[in-house]
């Protein structure tokens, strides 16, 4: 397994380099360093001296990809691409265009993101699996048909509808939770109630329908017929046999998203005013802060690759027949 993990980590290096290059190219095709300077200076008639000073302070006064004025290896290293990208591989994110330490911001903002993402994942997982087992228990009945119609309808509704509807009903009409905002420490719980509820409800349609499909596939297997032939009740068959054998695909969906929980939700955090990494990324895109965008995209790629590796490792824990080579 150690050799497999090392090999997967080595495979991740060219992927991260490609992600870094693609992010760099896309960002600077849209805006040049001069455009970024004009926007951050916030002046309609900014002088050329001010632009050059802003670029020099932030390292944008170098060529983008190749420095023809430098000699030898410096022609590649003395560029914006090299200076702004190589340090990411040792998780030195540097400073944002307005001077803030990106690493410190990430360390502070990841906790509000986790405070929403973890409860949504755990509560949603428990509810969706329970509801899916309930539907499978009453399969081919009006309960099954009505539930499938409801789930498809919930899947078809935009996530923005759940956010706006939740803010109106729970926040404005019933006054059960604040519409938006955040507080530090234990006082933050009242601001997390609404986004957690919205996150769980918004995921019921797709999550429950997927688990229902998994359980229905397991119901038709030979070991289920054998268990019934032994006289086991349907409840015991579902919870002791079907659920246990469906753990591999369930575990796949859960483990792969665990590292990405740190990244937060772009839309949810923006609408509810949560100072997490999702809103941090949205603000950086709005402000054309390439340093933050580059760091968040790179971090997201690293966490996604880590999630895939953890998924492969979790296979061996659930099914002893699986061997990583």
């Amino acid at each position: 397994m150690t050799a497999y993990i090392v090999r997967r980590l080595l495979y991740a290096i060219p992927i991260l380099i490609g992600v870094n290059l693609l992010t760099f190219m896309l960002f600077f095709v849209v805006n040049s360093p001069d455009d970024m300077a004009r926007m951050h200076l916030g002046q309609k008639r900014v002088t050329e001296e001010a632009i050059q000073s802003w670029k020099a302070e932030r390292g944008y006064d170098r060529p983008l990809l190749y420095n023809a004025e430098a000699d030898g290896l410096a022609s590649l290293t003395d560029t914006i691409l090299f200076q702004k990208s190589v340090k990411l591989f040792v998780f030195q994110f540097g400073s944002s265009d307005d001077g803030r330490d990106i690493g410190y911001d990430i360390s502070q903002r990841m906790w509000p993101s986790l405070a929403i993402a973890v409860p949504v994942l755990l509560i949603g997982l428990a509810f969706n699996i329970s509801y899916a087992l309930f539907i499978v228990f009453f399969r081919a009945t009006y309960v099954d048909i009505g539930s499938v119609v409801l789930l498809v309808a919930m899947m078809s509704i935009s996530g923005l509808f759940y956010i706006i509807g939740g803010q109106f009903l729970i926040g404005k009409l019933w006054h059960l939770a604040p519409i938006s905002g955040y507080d530090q420490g234990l006082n933050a719980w009242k601001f997390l109630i609404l986004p957690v509820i919205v996150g769980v409800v918004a995921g019921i349609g797709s999550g429950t329908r997927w688990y229902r499909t998994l359980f229905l596939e397991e119901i038709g297997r030979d070991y289920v017929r054998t268990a019934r032939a032994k006289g086991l009740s349907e409840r015991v068959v579902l919870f002791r046999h079907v659920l246990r054998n469906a753990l591999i695909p369930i575990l796949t969906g859960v483990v792969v998203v665990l590292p990405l929980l740190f990244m937060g939700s772009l839309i949810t955090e923006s609408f509810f005013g949560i100072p997490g990494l999702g809103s941090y990324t949205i603000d950086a895109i709005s402000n054309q802060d390439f340093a933050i965008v580059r760091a968040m995209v790179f971090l997201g790629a690293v966490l996604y690759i880590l999630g895939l590796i953890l998924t492969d490792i979790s296979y061996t824990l659930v099914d002893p027949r699986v061997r990583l080579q």
Side-chain angles (χ1 to χ4, degrees):
M1 182 183 294
T2 303
Y4 174 83
I5 295 175
V6 172
R7 188 166 61 251
R8 288 294 300 269
L9 292 175
L10 292 177
Y11 289 159
I13 294 176
I15 296 176
L16 294 176
I17 293 175
V19 169
N20 215 341
L21 289 174
L22 184 60
T23 305
F24 182 87
M25 292 174 61
L26 290 175
F27 199 94
F28 280 101
V29 163
V30 176
N31 285 312
S32 67
D34 288 348
D35 295 332
M36 296 164 57
R38 291 189 181 92
M39 189 190 70
H40 281 88
L41 291 173
Q43 301 176 12
K44 294 183 178 179
R45 295 183 179 180
V46 60
T47 63
E48 186 64 26
E49 290 77 10
I51 293 177
Q52 295 303 323
S53 175
W54 186 92
K55 290 166 57 179
E57 290 176 359
R58 291 157 181 81
Y60 291 121
D61 55 337
R62 301 180 178 91
L64 290 178
L65 302 174
Y66 181 78
N67 192 343
E69 298 179 356
D71 297 327
L73 192 60
S75 61
L76 296 176
T77 59
D78 193 21
T79 60
I80 295 178
L81 174 63
F82 187 88
Q83 296 293 329
K84 297 292 184 180
S85 299
V86 173
K87 292 182 179 180
L88 290 178
F89 289 90
V90 292
F91 298 101
Q92 294 183 8
F93 301 114
S95 300
S96 63
D97 290 339
D98 58 3
R100 300 194 314 272
D101 187 299
I102 298 177
Y104 177 79
D105 285 347
I106 292 176
S107 66
Q108 295 298 310
R109 285 177 170 264
M110 71 178 185
W111 301 113
S113 295
L114 288 174
I116 296 177
V118 173
V120 169
L121 175 65
L122 296 179
I123 298 173
L125 188 66
F127 181 87
N128 293 342
I129 291 177
S130 301
Y131 189 21
L133 288 171
F134 174 79
I135 296 173
V136 173
F137 187 82
F138 292 100
R139 60 191 176 279
T141 64
Y142 287 112
V143 174
D144 184 15
I145 297 173
S147 296
V148 171
V149 172
L150 175 63
L151 295 176
V152 172
M154 295 182 71
M155 291 173 58
S156 304
I157 298 174
S158 170
L160 293 177
F161 176 84
Y162 292 107
I163 294 176
I164 297 174
Q167 287 179 328
F168 177 76
L169 288 177
I170 300 177
K172 185 175 182 179
L173 195 62
W174 297 338
H175 301 287
L176 298 179
I179 293 178
S180 64
Y182 192 73
D183 201 352
Q184 299 298 323
L186 297 177
N187 294 326
W189 68 269
K190 58 184 178 182
F191 296 98
L192 299 176
I193 294 176
L194 186 53
V196 168
I197 292 176
V198 170
V200 171
V201 173
I204 289 176
S206 58
T208 304
R209 192 164 182 266
W210 183 57
Y211 294 133
R212 172 184 174 274
T213 302
L214 294 179
F215 296 146
L216 287 178
E217 290 179 356
E218 293 294 326
I219 283 290
R221 298 189 183 276
D222 292 337
Y223 74 87
V224 175
R225 288 192 289 268
T226 302
R228 288 171 178 158
K230 292 180 179 180
L232 297 179
S233 66
E234 191 69 14
R235 179 181 60 82
V236 174
V237 171
L238 279 177
F239 286 93
R240 183 177 298 178
H241 297 281
V242 173
L243 179 59
R244 180 183 300 174
N245 285 276
L247 278 180
I248 288 183
I250 292 175
L251 197 61
T252 302
V254 173
V255 175
V256 75
V257 303
L258 285 180
L260 296 178
L261 297 179
F262 290 89
M263 299 301 294
S265 173
L266 301 179
I267 297 178
T268 300
E269 292 180 5
S270 297
F271 269 84
F272 289 104
I274 305 297
L277 292 179
S279 59
Y280 187 54
T281 305
I282 288 292
D283 293 340
I285 295 174
S286 302
N287 296 329
Q288 297 294 310
D289 196 322
F290 169 68
I292 297 178
V293 175
R294 176 204 62 213
M296 296 305 298
V297 171
F298 181 83
L299 183 60
V302 170
L303 292 176
Y304 183 75
I305 293 173
L306 179 61
L308 294 179
I309 296 176
L310 291 177
T311 300
D312 293 340
I313 296 175
S314 65
Y315 284 158
T316 63
L317 301 178
V318 177
D319 191 347
R321 297 171 298 176
V322 177
R323 291 291 183 268
L324 302 179
Q325 299 179 352

